Amino acid sequence: MRFANYAGRAAVTDGTRAVYVADASNGKFADEPDRIYAVWDEFTAWAQTVDPAEGFALEPAKLEAPSPQPRQVFAVGLNYAEHARESGLDKPTEPAVFTKFPSSVSGPQTVLELPTDTVDFEAELVAVVGRYSYRVPETQGWEHIAGLTVGQDISERTRQLTGPAPQFSLGKSFPGFSPTGPWLVTPDELDRRDDLGIGCSINGQVMQNGRTDDLIFSVPAIVAKLSAILPLLPGDLIFTGTPSGVGGARKPPVFLRDGDILETWVEGIGTITSTCRAGIPYPPADES
Ligand code: ZN
């Protein structure tokens, strides 16, 4: 099943057509995508009865973040061995976890404002939590995931490395720095949910190209590690790490520039597109 946020409304889609959840369920389920995650098991059982082919034609530009207001956004650094190596660091024995603040979450087709000239890209598989999850064993990790989506862990490398200790959370939380989408795909839709192709390109040139079976800490392992410490909440996002090829590790470095088209994909899920813009007057317009 594919769950989408279509212009702010919860929808079930087959990728080309969609039905609104609230309408098709006669109001049994909420219109707001955020509220669906709280009743995910009940919702997915109902969604089996829906045929999105009978719905309206999707306009891709109207797709928004599948979980637009998560209460927590986790991210795991250095979770692919080759990326740890290119970053000059050892392969971690424990996940390197930081947060991307929820205000940075955006959708699958967005303008990405570049606040500086050292903004980097990180293609990532993003897992969306589907249940209250506390002290979950790794063997049950997948049962707590509502689905998977495509994400970018956009990273302002100067801020990230400024100060006496790295500031991952700030450097990766400028507005729009967490694009996600184009929809959520439930794990049962994927023949090989632990081994998906992942990558990104700038203006058509492939910059990252990996597979999620290279993850050092798998999705269920991350669920176990995080939930051993704190509860994961329905709708929370987990950015699972990026394969090698990021711009800052290249010689010379490759950072995002005004006009760049950054496309990011995960096999079996889809592609998201970020159109880079520099020089937008500061402070940005209020988007409340
Ligand atoms: Zn990352």
Side-chain angles (χ1 to χ4, degrees), residues 191-280:
D191 291 338
R192 295 188 299 175
R193 63 189 182 185
D194 289 293
D195 182 19
L196 305 169
I198 178 171
C200 72
S201 66
I202 298 175
N203 305 324
Q205 181 180 351
V206 173
M207 305 300 284
Q208 295 183 280
N209 189 15
R211 298 202 70 84
T212 62
D213 72 340
D214 287 334
L215 282 169
I216 297 168
F217 298 98
S218 65
V219 170
I222 296 168
V223 169
K225 290 280 188 184
L226 291 175
S227 76
I229 295 168
L230 77 173
L232 311 183
L233 307 173
D236 283 0
L237 303 182
I238 304 171
F239 283 69
T240 59
T242 198
S244 61
V246 302
R250 291 169 179 262
K251 293 183 176 53
V254 175
F255 293 118
L256 294 168
R257 293 285 175 256
D258 185 48
D260 280 352
I261 307 292
L262 174 65
E263 290 187 294
T264 309
W265 59 84
V266 175
E267 178 185 9
I269 302 174
T271 299
I272 62 174
T273 304
S274 308
T275 302
C276 301
R277 285 281 173 260
I280 297 176

Side-chain angles (χ1 to χ4, degrees), residues 2-253:
R2 292 179 183 201
F3 176 68
N5 174 355
Y6 193 72
R9 302 188 64 189
V12 175
T13 181
D14 61 9
T16 52
R17 306 189 78 83
V19 295
Y20 290 120
V21 168
D23 295 352
S25 70
N26 293 314
K28 177 171 163 46
F29 294 102
D31 207 24
E32 298 88 345
D34 285 309
R35 293 176 58 192
I36 303 296
Y37 294 105
V39 291
W40 189 253
D41 290 341
E42 199 184 347
F43 167 72
T44 51
W46 168 81
Q48 304 291 333
T49 68
V50 174
D51 183 6
E54 293 174 1
F56 58 88
L58 271 189
E59 294 175 50
K62 291 187 176 177
L63 289 162
E64 298 178 15
S67 182
Q69 293 182 301
R71 285 169 285 181
Q72 306 182 100
V73 182
F74 303 93
V76 181
L78 308 171
N79 203 16
Y80 290 78
E82 187 57 36
H83 174 58
R85 206 160 22 243
E86 75 180 356
S87 303
L89 296 163
D90 292 333
K91 181 174 164 178
T93 54
E94 281 289 313
V97 179
F98 55 93
T99 189
K100 288 171 76 69
F101 293 107
S103 61
S104 66
V105 173
S106 63
Q109 295 203 23
T110 51
V111 171
L112 172 62
E113 179 187 346
L114 306 177
T116 69
D117 58 5
T118 53
V119 177
D120 205 345
F121 49 88
E122 296 191 355
E124 306 211 5
L125 176 72
V126 176
V128 184
V129 175
R131 290 180 179 174
Y132 178 89
S133 308
Y134 189 47
R135 297 180 175 169
V136 176
E138 182 173 340
T139 51
Q140 294 171 23
W142 271 116
E143 297 168 31
H144 291 256
I145 296 302
L148 301 172
T149 192
V150 183
Q152 258 291 348
D153 176 17
I154 301 292
S155 304
E156 203 293 295
R157 298 298 189 201
T158 303
R159 173 58 49 190
Q160 180 181 337
L161 301 173
T162 293
Q167 305 206 61
F168 279 53
S169 299
L170 279 183
K172 291 161 173 272
S173 291
F174 286 82
F177 268 30
S178 305
T180 53
W183 35 62
L184 170 153
V185 178
T186 52
D188 62 290
E189 291 270 313
L190 300 160
D191 291 338
R192 295 188 299 175
R193 63 189 182 185
D194 289 293
D195 182 19
L196 305 169
I198 178 171
C200 72
S201 66
I202 298 175
N203 305 324
Q205 181 180 351
V206 173
M207 305 300 284
Q208 295 183 280
N209 189 15
R211 298 202 70 84
T212 62
D213 72 340
D214 287 334
L215 282 169
I216 297 168
F217 298 98
S218 65
V219 170
I222 296 168
V223 169
K225 290 280 188 184
L226 291 175
S227 76
I229 295 168
L230 77 173
L232 311 183
L233 307 173
D236 283 0
L237 303 182
I238 304 171
F239 283 69
T240 59
T242 198
S244 61
V246 302
R250 291 169 179 262
K251 293 183 176 53

